[in-house]
Amino acid sequence: MTLHARKDDLQAAARRHLWMHFTRMSAYADQDVPVMVRGDGCYVWDVKGRRYLDGLSGLFVTQVGHGRSELAEAAAKQAGELAYFPLWSYAHPRAVELAERIAELAPGDLNRVFFTTGGSEAVESAWKLARQYFKVIGQPSRYKVLSREIAYHGTTLGALSITGLPAIKTPFEPLVPGGVRVPNTNFYRAPEHGDDPEAFGRWAADEIERAILREGPETVAAVYLEPVQNSGGCFPPPPGYFPRVREICDRYGVLLVSDEVICAFGRLGYYFGAERYGYLPDMITCAKGLTSGYAPLGALIASDRLIEPFLRDTNTFLHGITFAGHPVSAAVALANLDIFEREGLLDHVRGREAAFRVTLEKLLDLPIVGDVRGDGYFYGIELVKDKATKETFTDAESERLLRGFLSNALFEAGLICRADDRGDPVVQLAPPLIADQQQFDEIEQILRDVLTRAWQRL
Ligand SMILES: Cc1ncc(COP(=O)(O)O)c(C=O)c1O
């Protein structure tokens, strides 16, 4: 079969049979499905042979970059040795080694690793653990979870109840009871203390205390926070925010869950975002970068205190997932962490993040760019209609701008990133951790060109 014929077959089969995630399928009635076939370093190629700079690491996943044959070899070796065995009352060497290694990397006494296959399951598992833990220790009325407005914590019904995006929740209501929203840390649109980040951080943390008191502390199990909130376009924590949240959680006996599905494994220049911002959570949820996407894997990392009652008597955490901690995925994760160490990827991100920021901030001279925010290799660029007043776009304009123009134009220009309007319209960037000035410049130039054209079309 010729390449051309294969391409046409793939296209027809994709349109007929593949259901893409979070995708408006009607968009592909008269447009090709983008079919990606190959990757190398920071770049990927589609079936037509066109090259793209992967400015989103797939989906905040491919930390070490594409095309790493040693990760493929680690997977093949493990599949040949022991392809599968469950963690239901058995162990296998790679899961043990990986749990030990993660515990060494994780802060404080976060020493116990419960594997999952991805992020939503990790988030959901943490909620289930919190609920059962409180029942076991004699506080059975604690089941609620606080999380922030517009924050994304996954799509399974439990994780969706923790998610703070009404648009993706309402079709599935009624959801799991107990999800409570608190304000996020969008300083650009701070409702209070917009000129004082510390006061804003205090206010945002105190809103968590107010919510706990409103709900009744004896009913609240956990607070879920990302180190940098992704959805809405990268909201870093204001100074003092996390230490104050920690104090509040301790005051009311509430668990602090750091949802690091995006932020862990180098995205912010540290193995865990909690380290970067100097707080110690009771649980960390992670996935994505743990394997750099060469195999699926997630994890819930729990403190010694949380496992302690489950080490006694007949107490058992009544939860499990067939493929969680899969031997092939665990082997890949170990090889992935070897690359992190050998190539000094955390130092690389810490050393280059200022240059990434400076390069992106050049875009602030464009009238459509209102804010450039983020940390590490994780940035959001907020688009506005009026820079002086920070006026945003109407829903119709946003639809025309993001779906009608930007997403396609950026892709056509060879940049994979995300034009998102889960909050206000933003372009999100999270390149592989091996990216350097050449990629920063390429991102800046493509964005400059496409955003200039977007502004002219408004
Ligand atoms: C913070 C956060 N939590 C949870 C999830 C859900 O992870 P998954 O898609 O692997 O289920 C995501 C996914 O992007 C995420 O960003």
Side-chain angles (χ1 to χ4, degrees), residues 22 59-61 117-123 151-156 159 163 224-231 259-263 285-288 297-298 378 418 422:
F22 278 118
L59 197 55
F60 311 99
V61 167
T117 66
S120 299
E121 280 174 5
V123 165
Y152 181 86
H153 292 285
T155 49
T156 54
T163 287
Y224 274 66
L225 304 170
E226 290 167 89
V228 173
Q229 179 175 325
N230 170 49
S231 209
D259 183 359
E260 307 216 7
V261 169
I262 289 179
C263 292
T285 50
C286 59
K288 298 187 186 263
L297 186 65
F378 187 29
R418 182 142 146 198
R422 285 171 159 176

Side-chain angles (χ1 to χ4, degrees), residues 121-193:
E121 280 174 5
V123 165
E124 186 114 4
S125 301
W127 194 8
K128 287 185 76 174
L129 176 57
R131 291 170 83 143
Q132 198 186 346
Y133 167 79
F134 281 121
K135 284 206 164 69
V136 170
I137 66 162
Q139 300 181 35
S141 59
R142 286 192 192 264
Y143 69 98
K144 293 178 189 168
V145 165
L146 273 54
S147 59
R148 298 185 288 200
E149 282 155 4
I150 320 181
Y152 181 86
H153 292 285
T155 49
T156 54
L157 280 176
L160 191 61
S161 303
I162 301 172
T163 287
L165 289 154
I168 65 164
K169 294 168 67 129
T170 41
F172 309 103
E173 287 172 345
L175 294 176
V176 181
V180 176
R181 288 301 81 70
V182 293
N184 59 45
T185 60
N186 182 354
F187 186 60
Y188 184 63
R189 298 197 176 277
E192 312 212 2
H193 311 291

Side-chain angles (χ1 to χ4, degrees), residues 267-318:
R267 182 57 50 209
L268 300 170
Y270 292 78
Y271 280 112
F272 295 99
E275 276 177 273
R276 175 167 185 142
Y277 303 115
Y279 64 96
L280 182 59
D282 301 289
M283 290 188 255
I284 289 178
T285 50
C286 59
K288 298 187 186 263
L290 173 55
T291 59
S292 285
Y294 285 73
L297 186 65
L300 152 60
I301 315 168
S303 69
D304 287 337
R305 172 164 74 107
L306 291 179
I307 180 109
E308 193 277 328
F310 294 97
L311 298 173
R312 284 189 271 116
D313 310 324
T314 55
N315 295 336
T316 307
F317 181 33
L318 293 168

Side-chain angles (χ1 to χ4, degrees), residues 44 46-47 51 101 123 133 214 224 229 292 303 326-327 340 369 386 402 428 439:
V44 289
D46 70 10
V47 71
R51 188 183 91 149
R101 187 134 171 208
V123 165
Y133 167 79
R214 205 166 47 236
Y224 274 66
Q229 179 175 325
S292 285
S303 69
H326 193 283
F340 269 69
V369 173
D386 185 329
L402 292 182
Q428 291 171 304
Q439 284 76 37

